[in-house]
Amino acid sequence: MAELRDLSGRTAVVTGSATGLGRSIALKLAERGADVIVNCSRSVSDGEATVSDCQALGSQSRLVQADVSTEEGCRVLAEAAGASGRLDILVNNAGITRHARDHADLNALSKDDFLDTYAVNVVGPFMMMQACRDLLVASHTQTGRAATVLNVSSIAGVTGIGSSVAYAATKGALNTMTLSLARALAPAIRVNAVCPGFIGTRWFKDTMDEEQYKRMEAGVAASVPLNVASGPDDIADTALFFLSDASRHVTGETLLVDAGMHLGYAPLVAR
């Protein structure tokens, strides 16, 4: 298994990787020997800290500030990856939401809320694959190994729960796009998705006080079959499977990583 996960000599781009799950994925890639391009749109100081931690693990890591909801931002990231002549790994992790947990309140979301969320969560991953396609194909041509794309989706896209109707809709669309592009881009590129449930990150912590967060975390753990509240590293470990040769014969998969939340009652929370 160690040989299957040796990522030395590979270049990776992880969007939205200054904090949270993206940061955890970037660090695990660096730990396995990959050179990681860290990305943020605003959190520059956090992004620099992630780069520093990746470099401490031996990675030739650097920060690229770019907004993946724009064609220019995606092009900037692709150009950064192009310095090595190919791109082996692309993780479409960047995502946003508009919090409107009462899904029956149809006035809680505007047209712009939907369009902004789609721009980052669906159009962004598509434009990243569009901008990086030639580099990903070059990886396959040079190594004989399919390049790999991982879309970070959510249980919200499978069950319709989550922070808002708009967010759940975007993740459902991302899951469908994963299937479409896995078929269309094979055999040069593998495309898969992970669908986390609850993840203990700033995604929630920034929207509530510490006591509220602790109560929610305890409630999540009590409501799922595995009786745990997942953290970023728990999901990143699964991501690493899709990004390594351990999954070399896997494409078009959307894997729930939710401690069993989908099996029974789940609170109205999701990444």
Side-chain angles (χ1 to χ4, degrees), residues 57-185:
L57 293 167
S59 173
Q60 297 296 312
S61 179
R62 64 189 181 103
L63 178 66
V64 176
Q65 185 177 7
D67 181 353
V68 298
S69 71
T70 68
E71 289 182 329
E72 180 183 2
C74 294
R75 186 165 53 249
V76 166
L77 273 167
E79 288 173 355
S84 64
R86 71 174 202 251
L87 178 62
D88 305 288
I89 295 167
L90 170 62
V91 182
N92 288 312
N93 171 74
I96 65 168
T97 192
R98 295 290 185 265
H99 289 279
R101 296 193 181 280
D102 182 359
H103 289 194
D105 182 4
L106 300 186
N107 294 320
L109 295 168
S110 68
K111 173 185 175 182
D112 286 342
D113 290 331
F114 264 85
L115 292 177
D116 290 346
T117 309
Y118 264 90
V120 177
N121 296 3
V122 183
V123 183
F126 176 80
M127 291 192 300
M128 280 301 300
M129 285 186 271
Q130 189 178 52
C132 294
R133 180 178 185 173
D134 288 348
L135 291 170
L136 293 164
V137 171
S139 173
H140 176 254
T141 301
Q142 293 176 28
T143 68
R145 177 185 62 236
T148 182
V149 174
L150 183 66
N151 295 323
V152 177
S153 183
S154 170
I155 188 178
V158 177
T159 63
I161 64 172
S163 51
S164 71
V165 172
Y167 180 77
T170 64
K171 293 305 185 178
L174 184 60
N175 289 346
T176 301
M177 187 168 72
T178 297
L179 297 174
S180 297
L181 294 183
R183 183 181 299 111
L185 300 181

Side-chain angles (χ1 to χ4, degrees), residues 178-201:
T178 297
L179 297 174
S180 297
L181 294 183
R183 183 181 299 111
L185 300 181
I189 305 169
R190 299 190 293 113
V191 186
N192 293 289
V194 289
C195 300
F198 172 85
I199 312 176
T201 68

